[in-house]
Amino acid sequence: MEFDTVIHGGTIVTPTESWQGDLGLVGGRIAGLAERLPGGARRIDATGRLVLPGGIEAHAHIAQESSSGLMSADDYYTGSVSAAFGGNSSFIPFAAQHRGQSVDAVIETYDSRAAPNSVLDYSYHLIISDPTETVLTEELPRAFARGITSFKVFMTYDLMNLGDRGMLDILTVARRHGALTMVHAENNDMVKWMNARLAAAGLTAPKYHAISRPALAEAEAINRAISLARLVGAGLFIVHVSTPEGADLVARAQASGLPIHAETCPQYLAFTRDDLDRPGMEGAKYICSPPLRDAATQAALWNHARRGTFESVSSDHAPYRFDASGKFANGAEPAYPAIANGLPGIAMRLPYLFSEGVAAGRISLQQFAALSSSNAARLFGMERKGALLPGYDADIAIWNPEETREVSLADQHDAMDYTPFEGMRLTGWPEHVLSRGETVVEAGELKAARGRGRFVARAPYRPDPNAPVEPELTPALNFGAEIRP
Ligand code: URP
Ligand code: ZN
Ligand code: ZN
Ligand code: ZN
């Protein structure tokens, strides 16, 4: 075999083991793995380095308007560049349908934002906020046929919240087509009720954001979302789980064989609600939903990452600058409900997970590969990505596991004016990121051209074929053609 590239001498991390050897590439694909491979017009020395599957960022808000119309700071160029510096070879941001919009038009809009700009391969999860009859019966099936095989819904935010009936409709369409429904699970009325009480008491500083969205609001919504998915026999992916209560519900559902999946995010492991109480308006930098919790939560979430309750750790990169274009779009000292929700972190997801996970001895290299790449590829149907195996895309991140560096804004390469990770000392950094065999980032420099990334048509979601069906529910509802839509 004539390899065009050989990555030699590194520790190669496959789903089952790590071993020292060479990886040979042909035409952008992985073509050979062996202790020693000859040849290669291009040889990349990976001695003393880890050779990992390039990260797949499965939760990021890029060139996306929030429900109130605020545009994220990162577009598909800065967003993908920042992701690449953080060890990612591909990403799946959201294409958001706001009320009244046609899904076809939304996809066209995001294609025009992504295709000319992205340096990484990409797809979208479709956010549905308006599941009309046309959306359910025509537009979602069309999106699905183009390889957009995941739909996200919200149980909170007045302009996004679908209600239980809307969720059942989406879950049913998803089940029929083999799409995976993602859900932001927080009880909207609990939050609104808390907001009203806090407002009446004049408690509007950023720290009250955490109080307004209690753990119970997440746990209740997760329990309800799982129940709705069970009713229609659909799979479900719960995004940004932030509480032990919520994670326990997911773990219990998984233990009974249900196709329930979940992620957590670095911010819930790295920060606490005390960060919302920083001086002045600094706490606004840490406003995200669900909110930051406490140290006991962090330990419990790490346990769930280690035992596999979480199949992915995603950034939920939602970049709003610390100025009038972002956090302060509604004034210089807004009450917390008027501050844009979200933290930037697409470049820090993997360095943080590596340092505090692998280097700190909490997770193995195989778990790191699974949480950062392989599981997302499997759940979201990126069939040729997520593993260093023959035939797969040569999406590869070469890491220096020994390097310790202090996080700075300059490391982010995004469009932001702050990083919540500023000053943190992390051990283990990606040095060289390849996408389909092409170098995207090397030694701190961007090597890829704007727009080189390609749209990835994704395969259908296939729940665990061994999962038992629920005897009393499934025959009664008899899914498939009988239940419409
Ligand atoms: O606070 C967050 N997470 N903002 C982004 C939107 C969402 O809820 O994912
Ligand atoms: Zn070699
Ligand atoms: Zn969310
Ligand atoms: Zn999000």
Side-chain angles (χ1 to χ4, degrees):
M1 173 103 47
E2 272 299 315
F3 299 112
D4 48 53
T5 303
V6 171
I7 299 172
H8 71 89
T11 298
I12 298 171
V13 181
T14 70
T16 49
E17 59 188 333
S18 308
W19 54 279
Q20 203 174 322
D22 294 0
L23 198 60
L25 316 184
V26 175
R29 302 272 193 98
I30 295 169
L33 298 104
E35 243 163 77
R36 291 196 57 148
L37 291 175
R42 175 191 189 206
R43 291 182 69 83
I44 298 172
D45 182 8
T47 309
R49 303 295 188 259
L50 298 172
V51 183
L52 282 151
I56 299 176
E57 170 61 75
H59 188 154
H61 303 271
I62 305 293
Q64 186 201 318
E65 296 93 351
S66 72
S67 56
S68 61
L70 197 62
M71 187 51 121
S72 63
D74 282 305
D75 59 20
Y76 270 81
Y77 183 66
T78 58
S80 63
V81 166
S82 184
F85 275 97
N88 296 286
S89 294
S90 60
F91 66 157
I92 316 176
F94 298 99
Q97 179 215 27
H98 296 293
R99 296 210 172 134
Q101 293 180 338
S102 114
V103 168
D104 296 324
V106 166
I107 294 172
E108 221 173 281
T109 298
Y110 280 85
D111 283 344
S112 74
R113 291 172 182 176
N117 292 312
S118 187
V119 303
L120 298 182
D121 290 354
Y122 61 92
S123 178
Y124 326 111
H125 311 289
L126 205 50
I127 288 176
I128 306 299
S129 68
D130 200 358
T132 63
E133 193 64 19
T134 310
V135 166
L136 292 169
T137 59
E138 296 171 28
E139 297 194 313
L140 287 183
R142 261 202 297 276
F144 182 82
R146 300 192 26 163
I148 298 176
T149 55
S150 46
F151 312 145
K152 182 182 178 199
V153 298
F154 286 82
M155 300 173 82
T156 190
Y157 303 140
D158 274 350
L159 294 172
M160 305 300 285
N161 172 25
L162 285 190
D164 296 351
R165 286 187 69 139
M167 274 186 69
L168 286 166
D169 285 342
I170 297 285
L171 285 161
T172 304
V173 173
R175 163 157 179 151
R176 163 153 329 137
H177 291 282
L180 182 56
T181 304
M182 307 165 80
V183 62
H184 175 140
E186 285 185 291
N187 181 308
N188 198 39
D189 277 325
M190 281 188 185
V191 171
K192 286 171 70 177
W193 188 85
M194 293 294 287
N195 281 343
R197 312 267 307 180
L198 289 162
L203 304 175
T204 61
K207 68 176 175 181
Y208 295 106
H209 174 75
I211 294 173
S212 75
R213 309 183 85 95
L216 261 178
E218 179 175 275
E220 186 285 323
I222 287 177
N223 188 50
R224 184 154 39 97
I226 292 172
S227 304
L228 297 171
R230 286 177 64 180
L231 181 67
V232 304
L236 189 67
F237 183 98
I238 300 161
V239 299
H240 51 46
V241 174
S242 68
T243 59
E245 294 88 338
D248 288 344
L249 289 163
V250 171
R252 201 174 315 148
Q254 291 169 340
S256 59
L258 294 165
I260 306 297
H261 314 281
E263 67 178 11
T264 191
C265 311
Q267 48 270 39
Y268 301 112
L269 303 167
F271 310 118
T272 68
R273 63 167 70 100
D274 290 345
D275 289 300
L276 289 163
D277 199 17
R278 291 180 179 224
M281 289 305 285
E282 286 284 308
K285 293 178 176 175
Y286 295 86
I287 285 189
C288 59
S289 294
L292 304 172
R293 310 290 183 183
D294 58 19
T297 295
Q298 295 175 339
L301 295 179
W302 271 116
N303 279 333
H304 280 288
R306 179 165 43 233
R307 63 188 259 208
T309 309
F310 298 127
E311 287 169 89
S312 178
V313 173
S314 310
S315 72
D316 192 8
H317 182 73
Y320 299 107
R321 290 167 60 95
F322 195 65
D323 64 22
S325 74
K327 292 286 182 183
F328 303 114
N330 294 313
E333 265 188 56
Y336 71 82
I339 298 173
N341 277 219
L343 263 56
I346 201 166
M348 284 300 103
R349 170 180 82 115
L350 298 183
Y352 182 82
L353 185 65
F354 190 95
S355 183
E356 299 311 299
V358 179
R362 291 187 174 102
I363 58 174
S364 69
L365 277 172
Q366 272 62 44
Q367 287 172 310
F368 177 82
L371 289 166
S372 63
S373 179
S374 321
N375 287 343
R378 172 176 53 81
L379 290 168
F380 298 117
M382 284 185 153
E383 289 181 301
R384 288 220 306 266
K385 299 190 184 293
L388 301 183
L389 295 172
Y392 279 66
D393 284 349
D395 284 14
I396 298 164
I398 303 173
W399 284 66
N400 181 348
E402 311 286 346
E403 186 190 357
T404 299
R405 203 161 80 215
E406 205 165 282
V407 175
S408 73
L409 181 60
D411 280 330
Q412 310 303 306
H413 302 274
D414 59 9
M416 288 295 294
D417 55 356
Y418 78 94
T419 167
F421 296 88
E422 184 84 48
M424 218 175 249
R425 284 181 72 76
L426 299 181
T427 297
W429 290 85
E431 283 181 342
H432 193 151
V433 175
L434 298 100
S435 160
R436 286 180 277 105
E438 297 171 11
T439 292
V440 179
V441 164
E442 187 182 4
E445 281 187 46
L446 179 69
K447 304 285 188 183
R450 185 190 283 263
R452 70 161 289 286
R454 293 185 192 151
F455 176 79
V456 179
R458 293 182 286 121
Y461 162 71
R462 288 183 201 85
D464 177 359
N466 300 318
V469 284
E470 290 184 77
E472 75 276 29
L473 287 178
T474 305
L477 287 172
N478 194 9
F479 286 96
E482 288 78 4
I483 304 259
R484 304 209 69 87

